[in-house]
Amino acid sequence: MSVICNRGHSHPGANGGAGVLVYRYRDTGDVEVFLGLRTLSPTGEKISWANFGGMIEEGETAQDAALRELYEETGLKVEDLRLRAITKDDHGGWKYTTFYATPTRDITDADIKLDKTAHSEAAWFSRDELWRGSPRFKGHPLHEGFQFSAVPNLGVLLPPNIDPITGSITATLPSPSYFGKDTVSGTPSSGTSNSETTSSSEPDSTSGSVVQPDAPKPDIQPDSEEEGGDTGLLEPGGSNNSLTSGSSVPGTNPSFWAF
């Protein structure tokens, strides 16, 4: 079932969608994110790269749906992850919730049990590859919802890149030419952001990076009945420092914020 949101877009699922964006540090000190190349789309969208996720089923919370989809599509379980942040992309009448998480252990190719009916392949990409484009995309674009809602904010939501030799923070900003461009061809895209925009560049106290002017500002206010807190950007020792029980994904409930 598809839903037409207040912005006139067609979305799969009457209850909204949810997914998980897993990220980690490379040996080079760069942060990388885990994406899949989608082969199926309920609304007939073109093959594209995105985080793992899908439709929220009747009776599920966004968190349950996100973890179920990740497990079904990759084999990663709840105990493999620690939650770091939550964002909501609200179109009015339809909403997509993204859970940002880091692995609790080393994840190798052998650990990934990719559902080939939904994704043809999976890969880790640096933020710079997402912002500037990469031949590793193999000619396929980023999914528009992911590209224009999540990707511009990865310099703020994720930790900064670190020089492995000096330990200093390196610049973590999308190119100004990124916004409104297709990351494969560099041509203008019809995708639109559904979040407010920032008005100036300023240091981000969480990551040490800088907020890009005119970048979409993520909504990080979760529903209190779902995530149990007043802020989506989780903090150490907060009331929402564990995955809720009752998830359909096998596993335990790890603590958050423990690198």
Side-chain angles (χ1 to χ4, degrees):
M1 176 181 177
S2 296
V3 173
I4 304 298
C5 72
N6 293 352
R7 296 177 178 269
H9 305 150
S10 177
H11 303 279
N15 302 307
V20 180
L21 183 62
V22 181
Y23 66 93
R24 67 186 183 185
Y25 274 102
R26 290 178 173 174
D27 292 340
T28 60
D30 292 342
V31 172
E32 61 180 5
V33 300
F34 190 48
L35 304 182
L37 183 59
R38 297 183 177 187
T39 56
L40 294 177
S41 171
T43 56
E45 296 169 332
K46 57 189 175 183
I47 296 174
S48 58
W49 293 93
N51 64 291
F52 294 92
M55 295 179 288
I56 301 173
E57 296 179 354
E58 194 66 36
E60 277 188 315
T61 65
Q63 180 174 284
D64 285 342
L67 292 171
R68 173 183 54 77
E69 290 282 352
L70 183 69
Y71 177 68
E72 291 175 353
E73 295 176 353
T74 69
L76 294 177
K77 302 177 182 180
V78 62
E79 65 262 32
D80 295 325
L81 306 171
R82 285 192 173 91
L83 184 62
R84 303 295 182 173
I86 305 167
T87 61
K88 298 180 187 296
D89 184 15
D90 194 343
H91 290 230
W94 192 90
K95 179 169 58 179
Y96 190 93
T97 304
T98 303
F99 296 85
Y100 296 77
T102 52
T104 58
R105 61 180 179 85
D106 289 337
I107 295 177
T108 67
D109 291 345
D111 295 318
I112 303 302
K113 312 301 181 185
L114 195 65
D115 177 6
K116 290 299 185 72
T117 64
H119 297 84
S120 60
E121 59 184 291
W124 296 88
F125 295 96
S126 70
R127 281 177 292 202
D128 194 61
E129 288 179 295
L130 301 188
W131 289 332
R132 301 178 186 276
S134 170
R136 297 203 300 130
F137 291 159
K138 300 181 179 180
H140 299 296
L142 298 178
H143 183 274
E144 281 200 352
F146 176 68
Q147 178 183 354
F148 289 94
S149 177
V151 173
N153 296 303
L154 296 184
V156 177
L157 288 171
L158 306 188
N161 295 339
I162 303 294
D163 186 306
I165 304 300
T166 65
S168 61
I169 293 175
T170 60
T172 311
L173 279 177
S175 166
S177 63
Y178 168 83
F179 300 99
K181 300 287 185 179
D182 182 286
T183 52
V184 174
S185 65
T187 57
S189 171
S190 59
T192 56
S193 166
N194 302 293
S195 306
E196 298 176 0
T197 59
T198 58
S199 58
S200 62
S201 295
E202 57 185 11
D204 174 70
S205 58
T206 302
S207 67
S209 61
V210 177
V211 180
Q212 171 70 30
D214 301 321
K217 184 178 180 180
D219 173 8
I220 54 173
Q221 300 300 322
D223 297 332
S224 58
E225 68 271 16
E226 272 188 13
E227 278 76 57
D230 295 326
T231 174
L233 191 58
L234 303 182
E235 298 178 356
S239 61
N240 45 9
N241 269 10
S242 64
L243 293 172
T244 58
S245 60
S247 170
S248 58
V249 180
T252 58
N253 299 319
S255 299
F256 295 155
W257 284 99
F259 282 110

